[in-house]
Amino acid sequence: MAESTQVGAPPSRPATIARRAGSLLYEALLLAAVLFVAGVVALPLVTPRNAGALPLPPLPAQVALFCLLFAVLAGYCVLNWSRGRRTLPMKTWRMRLLMADGGPVPRKTALLRYLAAWLGPAMAIVALALLRPHGLGAHAVWLLGFGFFWVLVDPERQFLHDRLAGTRLVTE
């Protein structure tokens, strides 16, 4: 049974930064479990045969595994953010993801939000590639949370992925 939010419903209060951070930590635990299960299922498919105690899959297999895990996370997020549904941490912290007009989030927008959340990690990878030859690669780590640190400069205290997708987290 899908939960729904009606357009034109009474406006909800934006979720506080502390509430979003708590939900994010809880979500990270659940996502770690989801990725662990998906990795355990996929690992035999990418592990080389007759390898030593800690075999490292070849680069193409590593890329395939990353793509699989990326897709699993995308499915989890899109299914739980779209059409008025919520993740368990969002329910626990009494939050809801809405469009800026107060309506439910369509799947396309949920996918856009998911992809936008990867901007920080993508920038960190590029920065690592550029800074590593100069011995400054460790500084790339600061970019990992760029989309979340955005809340500190955004006038409405939105995460960057919410700003880009036109969504907002509200308290019920």
Side-chain angles (χ1 to χ4, degrees):
M1 179 162 83
E3 301 169 22
S4 64
T5 302
Q6 297 176 353
V7 175
S12 301
R13 296 177 299 141
T16 64
I17 294 172
R19 185 175 287 243
R20 286 184 275 171
S23 177
L24 187 62
L25 288 173
Y26 186 1
E27 196 77 70
L29 292 173
L30 290 180
L31 290 175
V34 168
L35 290 176
F36 177 78
V37 170
V40 165
V41 169
L43 202 55
L45 302 174
V46 297
T47 303
R49 304 273 184 230
N50 303 324
L54 292 173
L56 186 62
L59 185 59
Q62 291 177 37
V63 170
L65 184 59
F66 174 81
C67 291
L68 172 72
L69 296 179
F70 188 84
V72 166
L73 282 180
Y76 172 88
C77 292
V78 169
L79 290 175
N80 282 296
W81 292 341
S82 61
R83 298 184 179 168
R85 292 184 293 266
R86 300 179 294 164
T87 64
L88 181 59
M90 290 168 70
K91 291 177 185 178
T92 302
W93 286 86
R94 295 185 184 103
M95 294 188 311
R96 184 173 299 281
L97 183 66
L98 301 173
M99 293 300 297
D101 66 2
V105 177
R107 284 189 178 158
K108 273 186 179 178
T109 303
L111 180 60
L112 173 62
R113 184 177 191 258
Y114 172 75
L115 295 174
W118 281 91
L119 284 177
M123 290 187 326
I125 291 169
V126 170
L128 178 65
L130 294 174
L131 296 174
R132 192 178 207 177
H134 305 289
L136 301 171
H139 293 287
V141 75
W142 297 107
L143 290 171
L144 284 173
F146 179 78
F148 297 101
F149 295 137
W150 183 264
V151 76
L152 301 173
V153 297
D154 189 271
E156 296 176 7
R157 298 292 187 226
Q158 294 286 342
F159 290 134
L160 181 59
H161 50 272
D162 285 317
R163 173 67 58 203
L164 294 174
T167 57
R168 59 190 177 104
L169 276 170
V170 297
T171 305
E172 292 186 322

